[in-house]
Amino acid sequence: MPLPTASRVPFGLPAGRDVPRVLSIAGSDPSGGAGIQADLKSIAAHGGYGMAAITALTAQNTRGVQSVHVPPAAFLAQQLDAVSDDISIDAVKIGMLGDESVIRAVREWLGKVRPAVVVLDPVMVATSGDRLLQESAEAALRELLPLAHLLTPNLPELALLLGTEPAQNWDAALDQGRRLADATGATVLVKGGHLAGLDCPDALVNTAGLLDQEVVEVRAKRISTRNSHGTGCSLSSAMATVQARLGDWEASLRTVKPWLAGALENSGQLEVGQGNGPVHHFHHVPPVLAEGSFAARLWAEARQDLDDIYALDFIGGLASGDLPEKDFAYYLAQDALYLNGYSRVLARASALAPSEAEQLFWARSAQQCLEVESELHRSWLSTRPAPDGLGPVTKSYVDHLTAASASGSYAVLAAAVLPCFWLYAEVGATLHVRFLASGEPAGHAYADWLRTYADEGFAEATRQAIAIVDAAGRRASDHEKAAMVTAFKQSCRLEVDFFDAPRLHS
């Protein structure tokens, strides 16, 4: 219960109302980092079913493009017709097109099929600087742009489409995005990846009234890595997939951007190539818990408590929207009090952690708890009456964690704090799926709250916490393992009691 933003399913792909059927129309990259190969990974990483119509074959690797072969456009048309004659397509991502005849074939097909979501990544210049679109085809590409709902050019491509020099700062980039949106009627995703500096902002720019605001900015810190091969392909195909699920460009970007940041941050794990390597599309999907692992043992211990949580009236009412507001207000008030104590325990975990990475993880988690506590008071609790004072369940939970922090064992403390990540993430994911499956009914009292359960940031934090505890369990003695299990089980039971506390209070 530490954050009002829970996770996607920690041990699987993100779950939505359906599995979107997403067609990528793009070139092939034999090294696997960009083009069709990156698109299919990206689509799968976001819970979609990926399909591909290949527009061009390339000879390339992480060091650059050596050659491009464009098959006959008539064969591309046959690929497109074969797919759409048999399969309902929920979204289309368009990437490298190669030449004018290919662009015409795609345009004719779009005119016939009219997909509900079309994301066009105007692939003209690779990250390596290699040109991927014949100059003679640029005019035809400009004519194709109005058939897309979202355009995702990088800054050099944005400048080429406008016949100007690449933007050198963010304001100039936004101005160019507005100009392209005006010219095409499409929403333009302006990407700051090619700019200098520590920040890496993105923005949705729109002049056609499809967004509540003309410009929606999503800011983030730049990830320092040489491995950015296929970043644009991966982003655009992810946006197409998530948009097919959510139907909201801003929500889609806020879902995809943290995932892409993680894909960049974890790209070094792949060790692919000697040049500009690929991103790690599946960084967010942990390995299946190995049979006999310590984490698997803990998960088996948690199953009954998780089932008990799902059976609570509080959870049912939250999912349906019928939960009395006084019960929700009590839950939030206790959550705010709990978070204050939980943050202190996490800070203690940071102090005991054996590695710098784990120290930083727990310290960041402690900070986020305090930020969430402040947000709870600012948003919900400042405008709604709620009982003051620490409730008996909240006190028991904080006392239990405090005792674990005083035990002197880092492993026991880590096990004690894990259910607050793990069970809450699982419950949040289930509630989010139920909400989507219900069609997100209008007037749902807790709609905004339930939408937050798609947050990738907390999903990633949960996965890290599980990995940390699993590693600690592997290192621990038999005696310490038993103490870890006991602390974990007690926290799981207190998670059940915490969700049920509003009923007991009323």
Side-chain angles (χ1 to χ4, degrees), residues 468-483:
I468 286 171
V469 174
D470 185 57
R474 291 197 304 271
R475 295 190 300 264
S477 65
D478 289 344
H479 175 75
E480 192 171 34
K481 278 188 176 71

Side-chain angles (χ1 to χ4, degrees), residues 346-363 410-411 413 468 475:
L346 294 178
R348 175 61 177 163
S350 177
L352 294 175
S355 70
E356 182 179 353
E358 292 179 31
Q359 290 170 9
L360 289 172
F361 171 75
W362 297 121
Y410 170 70
L413 176 55
I468 286 171
R475 295 190 300 264

Side-chain angles (χ1 to χ4, degrees), residues 55 70-71 73 97-104 132-134 136-137 140:
T55 60
V70 180
L97 295 176
D99 66 21
E100 187 174 354
S101 64
V102 168
I103 294 172
R104 283 200 304 269
L132 298 175
L133 181 71
Q134 297 176 8
S136 60

Side-chain angles (χ1 to χ4, degrees), residues 429-483:
T430 299
L431 286 175
H432 186 240
V433 170
R434 289 183 188 176
F435 181 59
L436 290 174
S438 69
E440 304 185 38
H444 193 296
Y446 307 108
D448 291 341
W449 188 267
L450 295 177
R451 288 190 187 100
T452 67
Y453 285 138
D455 180 68
E456 172 59 25
F458 187 62
E460 175 61 22
T462 298
R463 290 186 287 269
Q464 290 183 47
I466 294 168
I468 286 171
V469 174
D470 185 57
R474 291 197 304 271
R475 295 190 300 264
S477 65
D478 289 344
H479 175 75
E480 192 171 34
K481 278 188 176 71

Side-chain angles (χ1 to χ4, degrees), residues 22-26 36-37 39-40 50-54 79-80 83:
V22 185
L23 173 64
S24 171
I25 307 172
I36 288 291
Q37 287 83 345
D39 289 342
L40 292 176
M51 301 166 284
I54 299 177
Q79 293 182 68
L80 296 172
V83 174

Side-chain angles (χ1 to χ4, degrees), residues 390-423:
L390 203 65
V393 174
T394 309
K395 184 178 186 304
S396 294
Y397 204 167
V398 172
D399 286 349
H400 162 60
L401 295 177
T402 302
S405 71
S407 70
S409 168
Y410 170 70
V412 170
L413 176 55
V417 300
L418 180 58
C420 203
F421 285 89
W422 204 349
L423 295 194

